[in-house]
Amino acid sequence: MQNDVVSREEWLEARRALLAKEKEATRLRDSVNAARLALPWVKVDKDYVFETPEGRKSLADLFDGRSQLLIYHFMLGPDWDAGCTGCSFLSDHVDGALPHLNHHDVTWVAVSRAPLDKIAASKRRMGWKFPWVSSFGSDFNFDYHVSFSPEDLAKDKVFYNFTPMQPADANDELPGLSAFYRNDKGEIFHTYSSYARGPEELIGTLMILDRAPKGRNEDSTMNFVRRHDEYEEAAKAPSCCH
């Protein structure tokens, strides 16, 4: 299907109308960002331990000497054979940003419940360099509402994206992003979390596609996405991060 074809003058008029909306969206994004920074914080008093290639580490250790920590809740469960397609798509955009984040006092770490050997295999396959640790045996993913036990999924509702939802719409693992701050006294605070499509702006490819003539050209959220080594394959399985 082709859009209307008009004169350059008519196109310019329509483009200026869109520009007004784009500027409005930019101002709204600035307002949302300011509100995000103004959110109250919650002190983290629970001790969490993670398995890493360098040994067991606490949440404080994951900051790696910086004051800000972003944790991506990567969907890779203990029994999964491969990481979530959508999480893999987002993670393809991380390595190039790491020097900029680290220089700006921000540490990025992916966390999954899968054991370290599965995490290491996924990193090798995808060629990723960012830190990725295991929370297996920890309550971390459950406390931040991205992992659900069989008992959770057997209930009437599960809590995800700050809302009760039907277990049929959930999974044992779901995606999310959480932010933490560590002050000079060593106290840690949970400052922000985002779920479902919330971290979508981190996926630069989507932002580029939004400017292309056909946009995302999808039938459902990210159904066109594959792991980056699968695009030559015939499999058409949808993304698991709807």
Side-chain angles (χ1 to χ4, degrees), residues 23-45:
K23 289 183 175 181
E24 181 181 356
T26 298
R27 289 190 290 269
L28 178 58
R29 184 179 64 210
D30 290 343
S31 176
V32 170
N33 287 341
R36 183 184 295 117
L37 291 176
L39 274 175
W41 296 352
V42 177
K43 188 176 180 181
V44 179
D45 291 319

Side-chain angles (χ1 to χ4, degrees), residues 94-131:
V94 173
D95 281 346
L98 288 180
H100 307 286
L101 294 173
N102 292 347
H103 181 73
H104 211 53
D105 192 35
V106 176
T107 297
W108 174 282
V109 178
V111 173
S112 299
R113 285 203 310 122
L116 277 182
D117 58 342
K118 288 193 174 185
I119 289 174
S122 291
K123 287 188 73 172
R124 285 194 302 271
R125 172 184 171 182
M126 296 286 99
W128 295 326
K129 304 299 182 185
F130 57 81

